[in-house]
Amino acid sequence: NSGWIFGHLLDGAGGCKPLTPWDTAAVRQAREGMGAWVHLNFRSPQARAFIADCARTRGREDEMKRQTHISSLMVADPRTTQPRCEVASTWTGMLLTLRVNFGQRFVANAMFEQERNIVPFRMWLGRGILITARGRLPDQGAMRLPSLSQTLQDGSGPPTCGALASAVISEITSITANSVVALEDEIFALKARLQQQALLAGANRPVSTSALQGLRRELMPLRYAAISMRRYEVPELSALQTVARLTERPEQTLFSDADKYEIREAQARQEALVESLNATIAAGEALQNEVAAHVAWQQSHYSFQLTVLGSVLSVLAFCSISIDALAMLPAL
């Protein structure tokens, strides 16, 4: 695999023409027209040079800046980067770095395998150019950009690079939503089970040990999964907020009003996702505290029973000694 996934020369009406792989001259020419979209694997040896060559150059100094900044950030090691959005000082370009979680749940004893389902993703948007790049394919699920590419080939895709960028952002941010909702539902279902068990036990007795052990056994992996997912989603929200602020600048010409709306929707979706994870983590912590309270109640209940039993045995022992002593008196 050379690292070239697909490329399109936009026609401004929702359609496209195919782009020859690694043809930087065609991309630079398209930047003066309707624009171009290229999707790469940024681990390819050719990716950095291609991205640098696609940049507009007004002189040697500007060319060197493009080669050392945009191209280097687009292919940087994902282990040393965090999700963020960098905006050009002239408001004419942005570079978005994300780590896309495809919704697979994290398990404490399988972190290395699950990290492979976190896909590093980069996007460079400038005047007349959109370059998207991924680090690898996810182990589960599928990237949604090929379907977006197909809409261009069918003549019904986004007409501009800004519209494409907003569509890509919208697709990327919607991948994890179903998994987060399912996680929240499962934890609140456990809370409902504890309440039901408490009603069955009555007001004067704690929930049974077997029921508490089952709840705790199911709760721990859900809490771990929610906390691990939040680790990736919060930085992405910060990056999307930067993109949304860029769209509101009067100087920018990258995004139309329709694109602004789509990006605001993506930001709102990501905010709701993070709030859902926060609510899930808080509900899990509250449930754990409730389980611990029932365990403490059980211990108190058992301690009371043992105290009563000990008191009865002490009385019986005293009575036994007294009876034995009375039986010995005649002999004396």
Side-chain angles (χ1 to χ4, degrees):
N1 189 352
S2 66
W4 179 276
I5 302 173
F6 58 74
H8 302 297
L9 299 174
L10 307 184
D11 64 7
C16 68
K17 295 180 180 179
L19 176 63
T20 304
W22 311 115
D23 189 350
T24 56
V27 173
R28 287 197 297 268
Q29 184 177 359
R31 296 195 66 179
E32 305 299 332
M34 296 300 176
W37 177 26
V38 176
H39 187 45
L40 306 170
N41 182 340
F42 66 73
R43 298 183 188 275
S44 168
Q46 296 174 264
R48 180 170 180 175
F50 174 79
I51 294 169
D53 288 343
C54 288
R56 294 174 182 268
T57 56
R58 300 185 182 88
R60 180 172 178 78
E61 182 180 351
D62 186 65
E63 181 178 0
M64 292 300 296
K65 185 185 298 184
R66 291 288 188 177
Q67 289 178 346
T68 57
H69 186 60
I70 291 176
S71 57
S72 61
L73 288 177
M74 284 287 286
V75 300
D77 188 345
R79 295 171 296 180
T80 63
T81 59
Q82 283 292 324
R84 68 181 187 272
C85 178
E86 295 196 13
V87 180
S89 58
T90 55
W91 313 104
T92 57
M94 73 169 195
L95 193 148
L96 180 65
T97 302
L98 300 175
R99 299 185 72 189
V100 184
N101 179 4
F102 274 75
Q104 184 180 9
R105 292 207 180 158
F106 291 87
V107 182
N109 60 357
M111 275 299 296
F112 178 75
E113 291 79 3
Q114 290 157 340
E115 282 282 349
R116 292 182 300 189
N117 221 45
I118 304 295
V119 177
F121 181 80
R122 313 280 163 76
M123 174 194 290
W124 171 35
L125 173 64
R127 286 178 294 185
I129 187 169
L130 174 65
I131 295 183
T132 54
R134 59 162 172 80
R136 60 174 173 269
L137 287 172
D139 284 356
Q140 296 182 10
M143 295 293 288
R144 301 184 181 182
L145 300 195
S147 61
L148 189 58
S149 170
Q150 187 61 47
T151 64
L152 284 173
Q153 296 177 47
D154 295 340
S156 57
T160 65
C161 291
L164 271 170
S166 60
V168 169
I169 290 172
S170 181
E171 290 287 340
I172 291 295
T173 56
S174 63
I175 291 175
T176 318
N178 292 336
S179 179
V180 172
V181 170
L183 194 62
E184 182 179 14
D185 290 343
E186 288 184 39
I187 284 191
F188 278 94
L190 289 181
K191 286 179 66 69
R193 270 177 53 190
L194 178 60
Q195 293 173 356
Q196 184 180 16
Q197 292 291 334
L199 290 173
L200 293 174
N204 299 319
R205 294 180 61 84
V207 174
S208 66
T209 302
S210 60
L212 292 177
Q213 289 176 343
L215 287 168
R216 180 177 287 177
R217 187 164 49 248
E218 294 180 48
L219 174 62
M220 290 303 103
L222 296 179
R223 286 193 67 205
Y224 181 85
I227 293 170
S228 299
M229 290 180 73
R230 187 181 184 278
R231 167 191 171 194
Y232 294 99
E233 301 304 329
V234 170
E236 287 198 6
L237 174 59
S238 177
L240 290 177
Q241 288 171 338
T242 303
V243 178
R245 286 194 294 270
L246 168 62
T247 64
E248 300 301 326
R249 298 290 304 188
E251 304 94 330
Q252 70 86 22
T253 57
L254 297 172
F255 299 101
S256 67
D257 290 339
D259 303 335
K260 296 176 185 179
Y261 174 79
E262 191 162 12
I263 288 175
R264 285 198 299 268
E265 285 295 303
Q267 178 190 354
R269 184 163 53 245
Q270 189 70 12
E271 288 174 348
L273 188 147
V274 171
E275 290 175 2
S276 177
L277 284 173
N278 290 338
T280 300
I281 293 170
E285 184 176 357
L287 180 57
Q288 185 179 26
N289 291 337
E290 291 173 13
V291 170
H294 277 277
V295 170
W297 189 4
Q298 281 185 344
Q299 292 175 346
S300 176
H301 187 69
Y302 294 151
S303 296
F304 175 75
Q305 291 177 334
L306 289 174
T307 301
V308 171
L309 179 61
S311 299
V312 171
L313 292 177
S314 297
V315 171
L316 291 177
F318 177 77
C319 293
S320 176
I321 293 172
S322 300
I323 291 171
D324 292 342
L326 288 174
M328 294 175 60
L329 287 177
L332 295 174

